[in-house]
């Protein structure tokens, strides 16, 4: 991953302003430690700063990048997987580098703002057209890469990969929504990503085709093996990461990367000693014959890292911090091995209804609507975690399940096929398991292929979450929690764990705009608020852990539970994310075309 910072419409080009831009950009250097670039144009009123993590063309792909005549300039964070195909379909251009991202400048020269919808990849970028002094900013369809939008008191518009680069110089800032483009010509945001499956009102009916689904996923993984640097796969031993590793292991020999880095795949896992993920990951790695690297951490290691994790992930969401901490610790060790890119399994649970609470989906229509809601919110949760936890140490994470073409196939399937049917032996994500259940040439051992879902924060070791709650109970008194609504009227924390995270967050990001970027609302085992109605028992047991899915998880909490870090009474009803409903996030999750 890289870091970008853009200031458009500035009227200050003094040495002091340039120094300030460089200082703000330096806050993003953990994302791109390999090189720094700054483009300044007084006539266009712009600063474009870039902190580079070199993955493709490390020798000549420094940014910002230009079109042939250098009157279009772009700063990009991300990867464009179809850059070669785009080059072949376009008129001939003069390329300055072999960077996959340079194609954006040339494509914009050919087709203008329509270029954004033609890109296949994960990206956030700001492009300035020096010909008419206009600019655009855009973010990938799902929000795999982060982007924030802010406004300075001098009237300038700011864009940055992380809000830490905006928080001190912008009067107001917010999350740049996925699948959108900001155009200076139209003066605002508009959605460019409108696939058929994006509407919650249309229920798909395409018959399930295991071979089609399997082929689409294999292609998604293959795309992401595009690299000029050492790479590997994050392997928890669960279905999603194991399938990524299995497919990558099979396809690696066909790639150019294998000629440089070898045909044996590297895999990485993390957990407390003896945790479920470590055991399962080793078994998968042994089966696939990967070069496996196992990292352990202690509860104290995790607790010591919490403040840094919150600073880098820029959130106080309980689920995200629980899962980000082990990933943050593991990434540091991976980077120490010289690895710069990894594949990860985010997105599968949202697409296929893989979270354990989906067992209680009352109908295929409700299941489908919930998957859409979950996908639309990925940029606030799992995409944020995967990107920022790894970028904290200059490591890039790629997510095959969120491939645009794969999602088109998966989301067109009749959701009846995604329903959990115990009478037919179908557990969560059955259609993905069945697609890769090929006895004649197995991808994975049968018991791994049908292993029960574990959320990452659970799988690394149940005592991790228990340790977090115990630590928070020592940091936050009952009186502090009782008065939380006065200290934090917005997204009020309802548990001591959530209160503890909020205190740490406010130390780093005390601005009102910062706290408003974090989602809230009740949840059960990572559900949206709407899905809580599926089971009346869940209303009294709101917790983001998969073990909160009573009657579903093999290691579920007891049927009645009074968490030690909460207060009793209806006025203190537990919210799974640890705080109350967040209606102010509606400006981010609005229906398409509404602003």
């Amino acid at each position: 991953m890289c870091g970008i910072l853009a200031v458009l419409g500035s009227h200050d080009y003094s040495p002091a302003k340039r120094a300030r831009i460089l200082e703000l950009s330096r806050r993003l250097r953990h994302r791109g430690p390999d090189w720094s670039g700054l483009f300044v144009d007084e006539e266009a009123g712009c600063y474009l700063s870039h902190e580079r993590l070199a993955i493709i063309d490390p020798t000549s792909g420094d940014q910002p990048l230009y079109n042939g005549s250098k009157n279009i300039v772009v700063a990009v964070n991300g990867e464009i997987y179809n850059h070669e195909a785009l080059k072949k379909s376009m008129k001939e251009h003069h390329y300055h580098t072999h960077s996959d991202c340079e194609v954006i400048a040339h494509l914009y020269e050919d087709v203008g703002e329509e270029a954004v919808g033609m890109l296949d990849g994960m990206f956030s970028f700001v492009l300035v057209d020096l010909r008419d002094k206009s600019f655009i900013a855009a973010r990938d369809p799902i929000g795999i890469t982060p982007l924030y939008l802010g406004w300075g008191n001098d009237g300038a518009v700011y864009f940055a990969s992380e809000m830490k680069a905006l928080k001190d110089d912008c009067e107001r800032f917010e999350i740049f929504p996925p699948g959108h483009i900001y155009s200076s010509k139209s003066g605002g945001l508009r959605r460019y990503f409108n696939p058929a499956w994006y509407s919650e009102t249309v229920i798909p009916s395409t018959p399930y085709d295991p071979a089609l689904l399997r082929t689409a996923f294999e292609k998604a993984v293959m795309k992401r093996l595009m690299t000029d640097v050492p790479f590997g796969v994050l392997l928890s031993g669960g279905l999603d990461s194991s399938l990524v590793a299995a497919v990558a292991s099979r396809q690696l020999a066909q790639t150019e990367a294998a000629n440089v880095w070898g045909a044996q795949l590297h895999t990485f896992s993390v957990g407390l000693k003896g945790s479920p993920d470590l055991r399962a990951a080793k078994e998968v790695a042994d089966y696939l014959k990967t070069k496996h690297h196992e990292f352990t951490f202690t509860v104290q290691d995790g607790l010591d890292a919490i403040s840094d994790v919150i600073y880098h992930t820029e959130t106080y969401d309980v689920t995200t911090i629980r899962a980000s901490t082990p990933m943050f610790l593991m990434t540091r060790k991976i980077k120490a091995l010289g690895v710069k890119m990894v594949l990860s399994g985010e997105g599968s649970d949202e697409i296929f209804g893989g979270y354990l609470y989906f067992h209680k989906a009352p109908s295929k229509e409700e299941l489908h609507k919930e998957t859409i809601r979950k996908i639309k919110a990925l940029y606030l949760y799992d995409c944020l975690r995967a990107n920022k936890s790894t970028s904290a140490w200059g490591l890039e994470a790629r997510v095959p399940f969120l491939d645009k073409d794969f999602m088109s196939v998966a989301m067109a399937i009749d959701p009846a096929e995604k329903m959990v049917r115990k009478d037919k032996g179908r557990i969560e994500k059955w259609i993905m398991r069945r697609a890769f259940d090929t006895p004649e040439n197995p991808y994975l051992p049968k018991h791994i292929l049908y292993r029960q879902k574990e959320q990452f924060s659970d799988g690394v070791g149940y005592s991790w979450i228990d340790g977090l709650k115990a630590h928070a109970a020592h940091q936050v008194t009952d009186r502090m929690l009782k008065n939380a609504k006065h200290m934090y009227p917005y997204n009020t924390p309802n548990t001591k764990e959530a209160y503890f995270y909020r205190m740490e967050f406010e130390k780093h990001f005390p601005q009102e705009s910062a706290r408003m970027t974090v989602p809230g609302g009740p949840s059960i085992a990572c559900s949206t608020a709407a899905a809580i109605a599926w089971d009346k028992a869940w209303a009294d047991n709101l917790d983001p852990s998969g073990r909160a899915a009573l009657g579903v998880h093999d290691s579920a909490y007891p049927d009645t539970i009074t968490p030690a870090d909460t207060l009793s009474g209806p006025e203190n009803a537990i919210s799974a994310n640890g705080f109350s409903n967040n209606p102010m996030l509606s400006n981010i999750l609005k229906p398409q075309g509404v602003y």
Side-chain angles (χ1 to χ4, degrees), residues 293-325:
H293 308 267
E294 181 178 291
F295 305 119
T296 60
F297 73 102
T298 66
V299 172
Q300 190 60 54
D301 290 334
L303 295 175
D304 291 343
I306 289 294
S307 183
D308 287 340
V309 169
I310 291 173
Y311 173 76
H312 282 288
T313 59
E314 303 181 321
T315 187
Y316 49 86
D317 173 67
V318 170
T319 312
T320 303
I321 295 168
R322 286 178 176 182
S324 294
T325 305

Side-chain angles (χ1 to χ4, degrees), residues 57-238:
D57 186 20
T59 57
S60 68
D62 295 337
Q63 296 197 37
L65 298 162
Y66 306 85
N67 67 333
S69 53
K70 293 196 172 184
N71 53 21
I72 297 173
V73 57
V74 62
V76 189
N77 167 35
E79 305 291 342
I80 308 302
Y81 302 122
N82 66 334
H83 70 285
E84 292 291 355
L86 287 172
K87 289 178 182 178
K88 293 177 182 177
S89 67
M90 296 159 56
K91 67 181 184 182
E92 189 172 342
H93 288 274
H94 169 67
Y95 287 83
H96 304 285
T97 74
H98 296 290
S99 168
D100 55 296
C101 294
E102 186 183 332
V103 74
I104 296 174
H106 301 284
L107 188 61
Y108 179 86
E109 182 180 2
D110 285 359
V111 301
E113 295 180 1
E114 297 305 310
V116 181
M118 300 168 66
L119 302 176
D120 181 7
M122 56 177 186
F123 55 83
S124 297
F125 69 82
V126 178
L127 179 149
V128 177
D129 189 340
L130 300 176
R131 298 171 299 182
D132 60 5
K133 311 301 186 289
S134 64
F135 70 87
I136 64 169
R139 190 177 182 190
D140 66 67
I142 305 301
I144 301 168
T145 62
L147 189 63
Y148 293 82
L149 166 64
W151 294 267
N153 56 16
D154 60 350
V157 180
Y158 286 64
F159 299 92
S161 296
E162 295 180 4
M163 66 181 178
K164 56 180 62 68
L166 303 181
K167 66 186 184 78
D168 294 322
D169 287 54
C170 288
E171 290 295 303
R172 188 170 71 86
F173 54 89
E174 63 187 38
I175 296 174
F176 191 106
H180 283 69
I181 179 174
Y182 183 102
S183 170
S184 64
K185 293 178 180 178
S186 61
L189 289 157
R190 66 174 174 83
R191 172 172 288 282
Y192 70 85
F193 181 66
N194 291 295
W197 58 263
Y198 207 72
S199 170
E200 297 175 27
T201 60
V202 179
I203 307 302
S205 59
T206 303
Y208 169 51
D209 183 339
L212 178 63
L213 188 64
R214 181 172 63 249
T215 299
F217 185 66
E218 288 175 330
K219 289 180 179 178
V221 173
M222 188 67 174
K223 286 181 192 177
R224 285 154 183 80
L225 297 181
M226 174 186 81
T227 179
D228 293 331
V229 298
F231 69 98
V233 173
L234 302 184
L235 179 61
S236 71

Side-chain angles (χ1 to χ4, degrees), residues 27 41 105 172 405 488 583:
R27 297 181 184 181
D41 189 286
R172 188 170 71 86
D405 294 334
Y488 305 114

